[in-house]
Amino acid sequence: MKRTAVYPFTAIVGQEDMKLSLILNVINPALGGVLIKGEKGTAKSTAVRALAELLPAMEVVHGCKFHCDPYDANHICDDCSALLQKGEALPMESVKMRVVELPVSATEDRVVGTLDIEHAIKHGEKKFEPGILALANRNILYVDEINLLDDHVVDVLLDAAAMGINTVEREGVSYSHPARFVLVGTMNPEEGDIRPQLLDRFGLSVVVTGEHDPEQRVEVIKRRLAYEQDAEAFIAQYQEEQEELAARIIQAGKLLPAVTIDDKLLETVAKLAVELGVDGHRADITVIKTALTIAAFNGRTEAELDDLKQAAKLVLPHRMRRRPFEEGQLDWDRVESFLAAEA
């Protein structure tokens, strides 16, 4: 059976904030993922799958169940590390980034994996059965209707996304493996919300709606019909744009470690957080990380005020204090006037 061609990422009409948030998390998975809120039929899952298809194949250790990066000895599993310590070369192969879907009914064991305690006692060695987080390493972990997932499982996901490591402990035996993935959660707010404590731990958050401009809606229809009529011909139209964006993302990932930010801008972010009454320090740190990533995506080695402004739009709305049964709201005019005064 022929594999269905994936809709091109660059062919998606509008939804610029969603597309940017996904791209930034691929460049810098340490941002902590993105929560996409919106009604059905707004290209949420299409964008996630299209982004994975857009990126070129990556090098992995052949046969490794965590598909470790052979060029990154700091983030590899115990088995790959043992091979290096023996002086052996890591066998390599190229694979495409994939989208690993987590079902709403998933249990904690299914997510984190399981340890065979009996085997450990009998043989004195750890036997680990990988879970979804193992599959997700260096991939995109996609959770549709994340607001319906058990809170404890969401906690585990967010912990792994923040740390880049999954640790399983049972009866005094523990096992850790790399779990560096792009976490994408989607939800329809009409079907329930996420606890504020969990909401705060998502790096970025965007709200998507259907296009209200008739011309844009017509363009959505035209492109979809063209894709369904002849997917290969439609994809070929966007091949050059796809390759340019992929190259830009890869280059940004390489540039990111060299990007710096001025102390004055750090102070601006801290003052903005105080001005808006944002709890804790996670918001400040994530705004800075996002601004650095935006600068890298734009090919610069120093973050600017405009990067901070763009980052604040993605990082702050879901962290605003709110009363029970009320939506947190970000007064964007207030943010813009504050940043203008600091400029």
Side-chain angles (χ1 to χ4, degrees), residues 38-60:
E39 59 208 38
K40 295 184 183 298
T42 46
K44 296 190 294 290
S45 59
T46 298
V48 174
R49 292 182 176 84
L51 183 61
E53 184 66 22
L54 167 80
L55 298 170
M58 57 186 178
E59 296 294 324
V60 303

Side-chain angles (χ1 to χ4, degrees), residues 274-312:
V274 172
E275 172 74 14
L276 297 175
V278 178
D279 291 327
H281 299 285
R282 187 176 282 126
D284 312 42
I285 294 167
T286 309
V287 167
I288 297 299
K289 283 184 177 179
T290 305
L292 292 170
T293 311
I294 291 170
F297 184 50
N298 289 320
R300 287 183 277 102
T301 55
E302 187 169 1
E304 300 172 354
L305 187 63
D306 281 345
D307 300 326
L308 287 184
K309 188 185 294 186
Q310 204 169 8

Side-chain angles (χ1 to χ4, degrees), residues 20 45 80 99 119 132 150 206 245 263 287 320-321 333:
L20 178 61
S45 59
C80 291
V99 178
H119 182 89
I132 290 172
D150 180 82
V206 295
L245 179 57
D263 281 354
V287 167
M320 300 306 296
R321 283 182 190 157
D333 290 338

Side-chain angles (χ1 to χ4, degrees), residues 5-13 15 18-19 22 36 41-54 99 101 140 142 144 184 186 224 227 234 242:
V6 177
Y7 194 89
F9 188 82
T10 53
I12 296 171
V13 177
Q15 313 297 10
M18 175 177 70
K19 290 189 288 189
L22 290 170
I36 305 172
T42 46
K44 296 190 294 290
S45 59
T46 298
V48 174
R49 292 182 176 84
L51 183 61
E53 184 66 22
L54 167 80
V99 178
E101 295 193 45
I140 296 173
Y142 178 60
D144 194 16
V184 181
T186 62
R224 190 68 206 186
Y227 167 73
F234 181 79
Q242 291 276 100

Side-chain angles (χ1 to χ4, degrees), residues 37 193 199 207 275-278 312-313 316-323 325-335:
K37 294 182 175 185
D193 210 343
L199 196 59
V207 176
E275 172 74 14
L276 297 175
V278 178
K313 190 177 180 183
L316 296 179
H318 64 296
R319 292 187 164 90
M320 300 306 296
R321 283 182 190 157
R322 57 181 179 172
R323 297 187 182 92
F325 311 112
E326 285 185 356
E327 280 288 325
Q329 296 290 333
L330 177 64
D331 184 342
W332 187 245
D333 290 338
R334 186 178 171 194
V335 173

Side-chain angles (χ1 to χ4, degrees), residues 70-308:
Y71 301 110
D72 186 1
N74 294 323
H75 301 102
I76 57 177
C77 69
D78 290 348
D79 291 343
C80 291
S81 183
L83 285 176
L84 287 180
Q85 287 173 6
K86 290 178 185 175
E88 296 182 27
L90 296 175
M92 294 188 288
E93 63 177 327
S94 295
V95 299
K96 288 284 288 181
M97 177 180 273
R98 56 179 288 203
V99 178
V100 178
E101 295 193 45
L102 189 148
V104 172
S105 59
T107 61
E108 183 183 351
D109 281 352
R110 177 75 185 91
V111 173
V112 302
T114 55
L115 274 168
D116 188 335
I117 301 301
E118 188 177 340
H119 182 89
I121 293 171
K122 280 184 178 179
H123 303 280
E125 61 181 18
K126 299 172 185 177
K127 185 179 180 183
F128 178 70
E129 188 64 36
I132 290 172
L133 290 181
L135 290 174
N137 187 41
R138 303 185 68 210
N139 288 307
I140 296 173
L141 180 57
Y142 178 60
V143 191
D144 194 16
E145 297 182 321
I146 194 167
N147 50 320
L148 304 182
L149 200 63
D150 180 82
D151 278 353
H152 182 61
V153 174
V154 178
D155 249 332
V156 169
L157 291 178
L158 292 167
D159 275 342
M163 302 298 293
I165 296 172
N166 175 42
T167 300
V168 185
E169 294 187 19
R170 297 287 185 274
E171 309 295 333
V173 179
S174 68
Y175 184 89
S176 297
H177 68 78
R180 294 162 63 83
F181 53 85
V182 177
L183 176 62
V184 181
T186 62
M187 60 176 278
N188 185 342
E190 294 175 1
E191 296 172 353
D193 210 343
I194 293 180
R195 285 194 294 115
Q197 299 93 318
L198 296 177
L199 196 59
D200 174 58
R201 294 179 59 196
F202 271 96
L204 314 181
S205 174
V206 295
V207 176
V208 295
T209 58
E211 292 292 339
H212 296 293
D213 179 358
E215 288 186 14
Q216 289 284 78
R217 291 181 79 96
V218 168
E219 188 61 27
V220 170
I221 297 166
K222 282 183 177 179
R223 292 188 187 186
R224 190 68 206 186
L225 292 176
Y227 167 73
E228 291 179 1
Q229 185 174 2
D230 189 342
E232 290 186 5
F234 181 79
I235 290 168
Q237 292 177 34
Y238 292 90
Q239 186 64 33
E240 189 175 338
E241 285 181 59
Q242 291 276 100
E243 289 174 359
E244 287 176 2
L245 179 57
R248 190 177 167 192
I249 290 170
I250 298 300
Q251 182 59 33
K254 294 176 181 176
L255 185 62
L256 181 61
V259 181
T260 60
I261 187 165
D262 187 82
D263 281 354
K264 186 176 185 303
L265 290 181
L266 295 181
E267 188 178 331
T268 297
V269 173
K271 287 180 179 177
L272 178 62
V274 172
E275 172 74 14
L276 297 175
V278 178
D279 291 327
H281 299 285
R282 187 176 282 126
D284 312 42
I285 294 167
T286 309
V287 167
I288 297 299
K289 283 184 177 179
T290 305
L292 292 170
T293 311
I294 291 170
F297 184 50
N298 289 320
R300 287 183 277 102
T301 55
E302 187 169 1
E304 300 172 354
L305 187 63
D306 281 345
D307 300 326
L308 287 184

